Amino acid sequence: MRKPHRRLDVLDRAECLALLGSVRLGRVAYNAHGAPRVEVVNFLLDGDGAVIRMGIGSRSAAVGRGGHFALEADRLDETGDIGWNVTAIGPVRWVSDPAEFRRLDRLLISSAPGDRSHLARISFAQVFGRRLRAVAYDG
């Protein structure tokens, strides 16, 4: 069986943002009670950041402390031969402006049950990503 040769390309910020804008599901990582935590979230790319919907809990406590969140999203084909991964890191804050909240509230849909009536914005201070490509086959 022939195996693909793979190449890993580093993506620039514009490519990373375009890829993040193409998906609505990712993961956020944050500090909760002194330990790292990672959770799946629906998100919306908005300008040079992302907005997530949430209820009250450990994530909202982290927002209240003025911490930083990492947002990660990826896509891989079923064989693992091609795909991409993007991570964006930055400070997080509540969306408190009423007009901004109304606009984002209409656009961001959550697939999780329960009260998710709070919106938080992650402002991207760092964005980095990689794309895995299958480039040739060996014999």
Side-chain angles (χ1 to χ4, degrees), residues 39 52-60 94 101 105 108-119:
E39 296 178 5
I52 59 175
R53 185 180 290 282
M54 61 178 129
I56 300 300
S58 57
R59 247 188 298 155
S60 61
W94 291 115
F101 186 94
D105 189 47
L108 181 56
I109 298 167
S110 176
S111 39
D115 177 25
R116 304 253 183 257
S117 57
H118 297 80
L119 298 177

Side-chain angles (χ1 to χ4, degrees), residues 14-89:
E15 290 173 294
C16 288
L17 293 176
L19 289 169
L20 282 177
S22 72
V23 297
R24 298 289 181 152
L25 194 64
R27 291 157 211 82
V28 291
Y30 59 97
N31 185 331
H33 311 292
R37 187 142 192 198
V38 178
E39 296 178 5
V40 174
V41 295
N42 293 100
F43 72 92
L44 173 68
L45 191 68
D46 187 58
D48 202 23
V51 177
I52 59 175
R53 185 180 290 282
M54 61 178 129
I56 300 300
S58 57
R59 247 188 298 155
S60 61
V63 174
R65 288 191 304 271
H68 281 64
F69 276 26
L71 173 69
E72 185 277 338
D74 55 57
R75 290 293 172 262
L76 289 173
D77 74 345
E78 290 182 15
T79 66
D81 291 336
I82 58 172
W84 57 267
N85 168 270
V86 173
T87 303
I89 302 169

